[in-house]
Amino acid sequence: MTFYVCFIHDFSIYPSIALAISIRNTYWKAIIPESIKTDNFITKVEHYGFRGNEYEAVKLFCEFYGIRQPNFPLLNPEYSNPLFLHLICKGIQASEQKVFPQGFQGVTKIFGFYLKAVKARLIQKRDIYDYTPNFLSNALNSFAQTSFEKDGRSLTISEVALLYKTQYSDFPNLLGDLIEESVLIRALPYGHEENIEEEEIVYFAYERFGDFYIANELIKDITNKDEVLKQFEKNRPLGKLIEDGRWYNSGILEALAVLLPEKYDVEIFEVYRWVFDENGENPRYWNHSISQWYLNSLRWRKIESIDDEKFVDWATKTNQFQISYEEYFSFLFEMSAVENHPFNSDRMTNILLRANMPKRDSFLQQYFLYYSGKDDSGSAMPINRLIDWAWRPNISKQVSKETARLVSQALCWILATTDTVLRDQATKAMVNLLQNQIPTLIEVFKKLVTVDDTYIAERLCAVAYGCALRTGNLDDLKLLAETVYDEIFKAGEPPEHLLLRDYCRHIIELAVSKNITLNIENENYRPPYNARLPQHYATEEELRSYEVGRDEKGEIGIAARGNGKIIFSVLT
């Protein structure tokens, strides 16, 4: 212990040199002396991977692995996990296209690419690995099956050594090589960190990778859909997985929610249909868990494996899809930019357009209130990640038209928030994203400028004006000015909103000032407009009738307090 302390303090005499030591938390208590833990001279920091620096990390990883950098938002917090980023980049590097996938669609395929890359590295180390084509997948399958049968996700290091010595005696270095390649990892078991004599355990380095391997091993012998449904009956081993599904088996069940539709065209809510029937009499089966596994699986599945009609039928005709508005919209914002995905921002927009403004605000405002900023772990929420991505330098020139459309469409709905800071951020992000994407802006403008929410319409016009000022393409400016005229002024009755009309008028005036010939019928984009002043203005006495804690019906309640705040803001 004295050696450790002296070694660390020896660096203090060198002002330009620092010593950084990285250690897994499971080893912290076992090998770090108490004198170091309590030494105020030493700074102790818990490292959270790439959290907050995902884009910079992805850029560096892409450059290192020689793959194309993504030009779409990274909205899933998985990207802050260095091991996941290493895994997915290795997998992409081994693919033909070497293209970063939107979302994680077809993660089983990516894992396959990853194993291909690992195998190539193992063969470079030892020629013997080249003589058995399926040794790597077989070895991992054996580990997955044995660890699961042991009622756990791990084996002791002696158990793994014996397993591989028995089944793969021709590969004496297999365990060490898999650990060295970060496929498996060795660590002290949790709860025994203070005892260095405790035998170390081995488990999949990336837990989700392990979950997929275990899940795949569990269903490998099933041949068709009918057999799937039979194997997941209540008293069968696969049916019993759900008994501890909320916690211990959750990752495996989520992996099954990906693999079952990809392999057998059957959904997780279909194989556990019996659970919903018994939910009333057995409280350990939770509808919400199955709904959550299904929803989470959509991030990872091949897009072609998603049967939207089956989901809609299940969600609308039963009361079994039990996901809150906040969870659902958080998911939709996370998936909003994924091209061709049935749960991208087109779905969100269709849902929100079916509701009128009061109905939308009843759940959307609460979502913006609780699901903006950062979560408890310090990771940015999906809407903030979306804004941050759209605000990146030069993004407007780099992004595809379809991704720009999907993202700006999602950002449009954030313009409805009463949080002025968030609303301003979304507005500026849209300008930054669309300034070189005027045709895309026009498409979104036409679709949403007439929405029954002036908060959205006004800021969408502000975005259009900002893009008009920034674009250097006169043809685009001409097209935008004519679109604004047709949508806002052509009928002669523009919305009764000063800022909205002013933004739109100045887009047209800007085009005129640049001597652009516009295809417009007259100059009714200039005031005075046909808006009529109110025939009657409320008196102060009439307003104060709502002030004393009562609503318009004279009743006391939440609405009354809201009225009181509004009256106070008007009369003071």
Side-chain angles (χ1 to χ4, degrees):
M1 291 186 182
T2 303
F3 170 76
Y4 287 129
V5 176
C6 292
F7 178 66
I8 292 172
H9 281 276
D10 282 348
F11 280 83
S12 63
I13 63 175
Y14 301 101
S16 300
I17 300 178
L19 172 66
I21 300 174
S22 174
I23 183 169
R24 288 187 176 278
N25 55 2
T26 54
Y27 288 98
W28 171 255
K29 293 181 180 179
I31 67 174
I32 298 298
E34 197 63 36
S35 57
I36 293 180
K37 297 175 188 174
T38 57
D39 191 336
N40 293 328
F41 176 77
I42 299 169
T43 301
K44 293 166 279 291
V45 178
E46 189 169 355
H47 195 273
Y48 293 98
F50 300 133
R51 184 187 300 168
N53 297 288
E54 290 88 352
Y55 295 112
E56 291 75 10
V58 168
K59 180 180 178 182
L60 291 173
F61 270 65
C62 288
E63 290 174 354
F64 179 81
Y65 286 103
I67 59 181
R68 192 185 309 169
Q69 188 176 346
N71 61 349
F72 50 84
L74 306 177
L75 301 183
N76 193 300
E78 294 277 357
Y79 283 107
S80 65
N81 183 331
L83 187 57
F84 170 77
L85 204 50
H86 162 74
L87 183 154
I88 198 170
C89 286
K90 290 277 288 184
I92 296 166
Q93 186 187 44
S95 68
E96 292 183 6
Q97 292 81 10
K98 292 182 171 51
V99 177
F100 223 88
Q102 289 205 51
F104 305 121
Q105 287 71 55
V107 70
T108 49
K109 189 175 182 180
I110 294 173
F111 284 162
F113 288 145
Y114 169 69
L115 288 180
K116 182 179 178 181
V118 171
K119 182 181 177 182
R121 285 178 61 88
L122 292 178
I123 291 173
Q124 287 178 352
K125 288 182 179 181
R126 312 182 201 283
D127 292 340
I128 192 171
Y129 290 128
D130 198 20
Y131 304 145
T132 307
N134 298 319
F135 83 91
L136 181 57
S137 58
N138 290 338
L140 294 179
N141 284 338
S142 296
F143 178 83
Q145 182 177 3
T146 306
S147 62
F148 184 75
E149 288 175 351
K150 188 195 170 187
D151 194 28
R153 301 277 176 80
S154 63
L155 297 172
T156 64
I157 198 162
S158 58
E159 289 171 334
V160 187
L162 179 61
L163 172 70
Y164 282 166
K165 182 179 180 180
T166 303
Q167 296 187 6
Y168 301 96
S169 56
D170 292 339
F171 307 106
N173 299 297
L174 179 59
L175 177 56
D177 289 341
L178 291 177
I179 292 174
E180 188 174 329
E181 289 299 320
S182 297
V183 180
L184 300 177
I185 197 169
R186 60 188 293 182
L188 282 173
Y190 281 98
H192 299 276
E193 294 92 339
E194 296 182 4
N195 184 8
I196 192 63
E197 300 302 323
E198 180 77 18
E199 185 174 7
E200 292 177 301
I201 59 174
V202 178
Y203 50 89
F204 281 103
Y206 181 53
E207 186 176 1
R208 192 177 297 277
F209 184 60
D211 289 335
F212 269 84
Y213 246 94
I214 292 171
N216 194 60
E217 187 68 16
L218 291 173
I219 62 174
K220 67 176 183 179
D221 295 327
I222 299 177
T223 58
N224 55 60
K225 180 177 179 178
D226 291 337
E227 190 177 349
V228 170
L229 296 174
K230 185 176 182 180
Q231 293 297 327
F232 277 84
E233 289 175 355
K234 181 178 179 180
N235 296 319
R236 297 285 186 123
L238 293 179
K240 291 181 178 180
L241 283 176
I242 202 169
E243 292 183 1
D244 198 12
R246 293 194 68 202
W247 306 110
Y248 193 74
N249 292 327
S250 182
I252 296 172
L253 286 159
E254 188 174 309
L256 286 170
V258 175
L259 295 171
L260 290 175
E262 288 189 349
K263 290 190 170 188
Y264 308 106
D265 190 28
V266 60
E267 298 289 354
I268 192 76
F269 55 78
E270 291 180 289
V271 299
Y272 285 122
R273 185 167 288 156
W274 58 268
V275 172
F276 296 108
D277 298 334
E278 297 188 0
N279 193 34
E281 64 184 59
N282 198 336
R284 62 183 169 174
Y285 299 142
W286 295 98
N287 295 10
H288 179 265
S289 295
I290 295 176
S291 301
Q292 207 167 41
W293 297 327
Y294 171 77
L295 206 61
N296 290 342
S297 77
L298 300 177
R299 298 181 174 96
W300 305 90
R301 287 160 57 168
K302 298 174 184 176
I303 291 178
E304 55 269 26
S305 76
I306 301 173
D307 189 332
D308 192 43
E309 289 185 10
K310 185 183 290 185
F311 164 70
V312 172
D313 189 63
W314 173 62
T316 57
K317 294 183 180 180
T318 70
N319 192 32
Q320 297 169 355
F321 182 62
Q322 296 192 2
I323 292 291
S324 68
Y325 278 123
E326 289 81 10
E327 287 176 289
Y328 191 47
F329 275 93
S330 192
F331 170 77
L332 290 178
F333 271 106
E334 188 178 314
M335 303 301 296
S336 60
V338 184
E339 295 181 13
N340 302 315
H341 199 284
F343 285 80
N344 62 25
S345 73
D346 283 333
R347 189 188 203 95
M348 183 199 310
T349 298
N350 291 335
I351 291 171
L352 294 174
L353 285 176
R354 288 199 299 267
N356 58 25
M357 186 185 73
K359 177 65 174 177
R360 281 197 306 271
D361 277 357
S362 68
F363 55 82
L364 207 52
Q365 294 301 339
Q366 183 168 308
Y367 169 76
F368 292 139
L369 176 64
Y370 293 111
Y371 284 76
S372 62
K374 296 183 178 181
D375 62 20
D376 293 340
S377 66
S379 296
M381 295 289 193
I383 58 175
N384 297 90
R385 286 172 177 256
L386 202 64
I387 290 171
D388 290 345
W389 176 82
W391 219 335
R392 294 177 67 202
N394 301 316
I395 192 65
S396 189
K397 294 180 180 179
Q398 299 168 0
V399 70
S400 71
K401 176 183 176 181
E402 179 63 3
T403 298
R405 183 189 71 82
L406 291 170
V407 172
S408 57
Q409 191 171 242
L411 291 173
C412 258
W413 294 108
I414 304 177
L415 301 178
T417 180
T418 55
D419 181 339
T420 54
V421 173
L422 184 62
R423 190 169 180 242
D424 288 346
Q425 290 173 344
T427 305
K428 294 171 184 176
M430 286 185 69
V431 174
N432 189 61
L433 174 63
L434 296 172
Q435 59 185 331
N436 297 112
Q437 299 263 3
I438 299 300
T440 304
L441 165 64
I442 289 172
E443 187 175 351
V444 175
F445 187 89
K446 286 181 176 180
K447 186 169 187 176
L448 293 176
V449 77
T450 56
V451 69
D452 63 333
D453 188 337
T454 312
Y455 248 46
I456 295 175
E458 176 249 310
R459 282 304 177 94
L460 186 52
C461 293
V463 169
Y465 186 31
C467 292
L469 291 170
R470 291 190 174 199
T471 185
N473 188 316
L474 296 185
D475 290 335
D476 282 351
L477 179 56
K478 170 183 170 68
L479 190 58
L480 178 59
E482 291 175 346
T483 299
V484 166
Y485 176 83
D486 290 341
E487 297 293 327
I488 303 299
F489 297 110
K490 186 175 182 179
E493 294 184 0
E496 296 178 4
H497 191 291
L498 292 174
L499 277 176
L500 185 154
R501 292 188 305 217
D502 214 37
Y503 292 139
C504 293
R505 173 198 168 189
H506 280 87
I507 293 171
I508 300 172
E509 297 284 13
L510 178 65
V512 171
S513 72
K514 294 181 179 292
N515 298 316
I516 296 174
T517 302
L518 300 176
N519 183 25
I520 60 178
E521 298 173 0
N522 51 53
E523 294 186 357
N524 59 1
Y525 61 88
R526 290 174 174 151
Y529 304 111
N530 291 328
R532 298 174 182 83
L533 291 173
Q535 294 181 352
H536 171 73
Y537 291 92
T539 65
E540 183 174 336
E541 183 180 359
E542 289 173 326
L543 291 175
R544 289 199 180 280
S545 66
Y546 300 104
E547 184 181 25
V548 196
R550 297 183 182 275
D551 61 18
E552 56 271 19
K553 296 180 182 179
E555 298 175 353
I556 299 173
I558 296 176
R561 290 198 295 274
N563 283 341
K565 290 180 181 179
I566 295 172
I567 301 306
F568 179 80
S569 69
V570 171
L571 298 180
T572 55

